Amino acid sequence: RDLRDVMISRYFHVMNEKIHWQHKYIKDLDFEEGFKKSLTYFDNTQKDMPIVINYNWIKNWLDNYDPNKTLILWYEDYIDNPVQYISEIIKFTKITKINPQNVYEKIKAQKKYNLTFEKNFSKYGKRKSTFRKGKSGSWKNLFNKEIEKCFYNNLPGNLEKILKKTI
């Protein structure tokens, strides 16, 4: 996923989870100030780290990337064209007897979890909800010049490779 969308999602998660360590620091701030603080404020006693650590994980992984052993996929590409996305996986794995359209139809037919509208942060995966539909590219509607400046200034390196999906 696009790191900008990931961090937007993380911010809303922190805002909705009162027991999250960062909640008390951002809950009374407006979106811009709260989001910027969620990107930068770090307490060394916590396991969940803000943006710089998330970026380093991606950067370290990319530094060791081998295109012959690993296929890089983007959630945003699946949303835009799921059949093409599935085709790329099939091509990479060299399993030619699978029809990507059939795979996609099976995925669509699967029953989704029935989420309740009860805030329950003790559950995991799809059963855990923050009451927000995180759409691909939502950062474009939420970032302003100040947020964008804060985001890029707090990265330890150039995010261009990751954002432009090039290696």
Side-chain angles (χ1 to χ4, degrees), residues 34-143:
F35 182 71
K36 290 189 312 187
K37 191 163 195 163
S38 78
L39 296 177
T40 58
Y41 185 75
F42 179 62
D43 176 344
N44 287 324
T45 65
Q46 304 304 319
K47 292 179 184 176
D48 182 33
M49 300 175 191
I51 189 171
V52 171
I53 305 304
N54 283 303
Y55 172 85
N56 278 333
W57 179 85
I58 294 168
K59 183 181 179 309
N60 290 340
W61 183 85
L62 283 173
D63 288 344
N64 296 303
Y65 167 70
D66 179 348
N68 297 314
K69 295 181 180 177
T70 307
L71 174 64
I72 294 180
L73 300 169
W74 293 85
Y75 172 74
E76 294 79 10
D77 292 341
Y78 178 79
I79 298 303
D80 292 342
N81 190 339
V83 175
Q84 177 60 36
Y85 182 91
I86 294 165
S87 295
E88 289 178 35
I89 296 170
I90 292 169
K91 181 180 173 185
F92 183 79
T93 60
K94 299 179 178 129
I95 303 174
T96 57
K97 296 180 181 181
I98 298 175
N99 181 319
Q101 183 65 43
N102 291 346
V103 172
Y104 178 61
E105 294 303 324
K106 287 181 181 183
I107 290 169
K108 283 191 337 184
Q110 287 180 347
K111 292 184 178 180
K112 305 271 183 200
Y113 286 102
N114 183 15
L115 294 176
T116 64
F117 288 106
E118 173 186 335
K119 286 186 181 180
N120 190 336
F121 293 102
S122 63
K123 293 185 179 181
Y124 295 94
K126 291 186 179 207
R127 294 195 181 271
K128 185 174 188 171
S129 175
T130 58
F131 295 109
R132 179 178 173 273
K133 291 188 179 195
K135 300 250 180 190
S136 175
S138 63
W139 69 270
K140 294 173 188 173
N141 298 322
L142 296 169
F143 274 31

Side-chain angles (χ1 to χ4, degrees), residues 139-157:
W139 69 270
K140 294 173 188 173
N141 298 322
L142 296 169
F143 274 31
N144 61 26
K145 290 194 184 296
E146 285 301 311
I147 291 173
E148 197 167 323
K149 181 179 175 183
C150 176
F151 181 87
Y152 291 110
N153 286 345
N154 282 286
L155 293 175

Side-chain angles (χ1 to χ4, degrees), residues 10-18 20 22-23 26:
R10 180 185 180 279
Y11 166 81
F12 282 107
H13 174 82
V14 171
M15 287 298 290
N16 283 297
E17 187 173 5
K18 290 180 171 85
H20 190 283
Q22 248 187 4
H23 179 82
I26 65 173

